[in-house]
């Protein structure tokens, strides 16, 4: 019975530590990085029908260039616009190399 109690306590501590770990694998970029990304994007060169929010996942290469990994939009114009204006563009003071960042981007009519 004593071994059972010790085993049960060890199991509870082990399971509890699994749930206590942080699972957020994306980091929010600093305000400076966000502002530089918005400057790179500028205004869209296509007609925006409805306001939409798009999440962009990216990282930085060893040269400090933005590498776009994912854009959660099914609109091909938005996908092409973001990839053309961000992918492999260098910015001042980039984030850490190979660290995943995610940024929400609101696209609306001007």
């Amino acid at each position: 019975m004593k071994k059972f109690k010790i085993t049960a306590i060890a199991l509870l501590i082990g399971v509890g530590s699994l749930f206590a770990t942080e699972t957020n694998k994306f980091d929010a970029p600093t305000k400076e990085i966000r502002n530089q990304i918005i400057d790179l994007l500028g205004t869209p060169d296509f007609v925006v029908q409805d306001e939409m929010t798009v999440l962009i996942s990216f990282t930085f290469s060893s040269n400090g260039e933005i590498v776009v990994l994912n854009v959660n939009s099914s609109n091909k114009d938005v996908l092409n616009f973001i990839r053309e204006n961000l992918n492999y563009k260098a910015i001042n003071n980039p984030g850490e190399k190979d660290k995943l960042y995610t940024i929400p981007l609101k696209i609306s009519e001007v």
Side-chain angles (χ1 to χ4, degrees), residues 13-24:
I13 291 172
V15 170
S17 66
L18 287 175
F19 290 111
T21 59
E22 188 175 333
T23 60
N24 187 7

Side-chain angles (χ1 to χ4, degrees), residues 40 60 64-67 83-91:
L40 281 174
F60 290 98
E65 298 171 331
I66 298 171
V67 179
R83 288 183 180 147
E84 287 174 7
N85 290 308
L86 280 187
N87 220 10
Y88 298 108
K89 303 287 190 218
I91 63 171

Side-chain angles (χ1 to χ4, degrees), residues 6 9 19 26 38 40 45 50 66 68-69 71 90 97 101 104:
I6 292 173
I9 290 173
F19 290 111
F26 296 112
I38 291 171
L40 281 174
D45 55 355
D50 298 319
I66 298 171
V68 177
L69 301 174
V71 179
K97 174 186 152 197
Y101 294 92

Side-chain angles (χ1 to χ4, degrees), residues 25-66:
K25 61 181 179 180
F26 296 112
D27 287 326
T30 64
K31 194 167 200 139
E32 182 181 346
I33 293 172
R34 178 177 170 75
N35 290 340
Q36 291 181 52
I37 287 174
I38 291 171
D39 288 342
L40 281 174
L41 287 173
T43 56
D45 55 355
F46 55 92
V47 177
V48 178
Q49 299 294 333
D50 298 319
E51 183 176 296
M52 64 181 86
T53 301
V54 177
L55 281 177
I56 303 170
S57 301
F58 62 95
T59 188
F60 290 98
S61 69
S62 57
N63 298 332
E65 298 171 331
I66 298 171

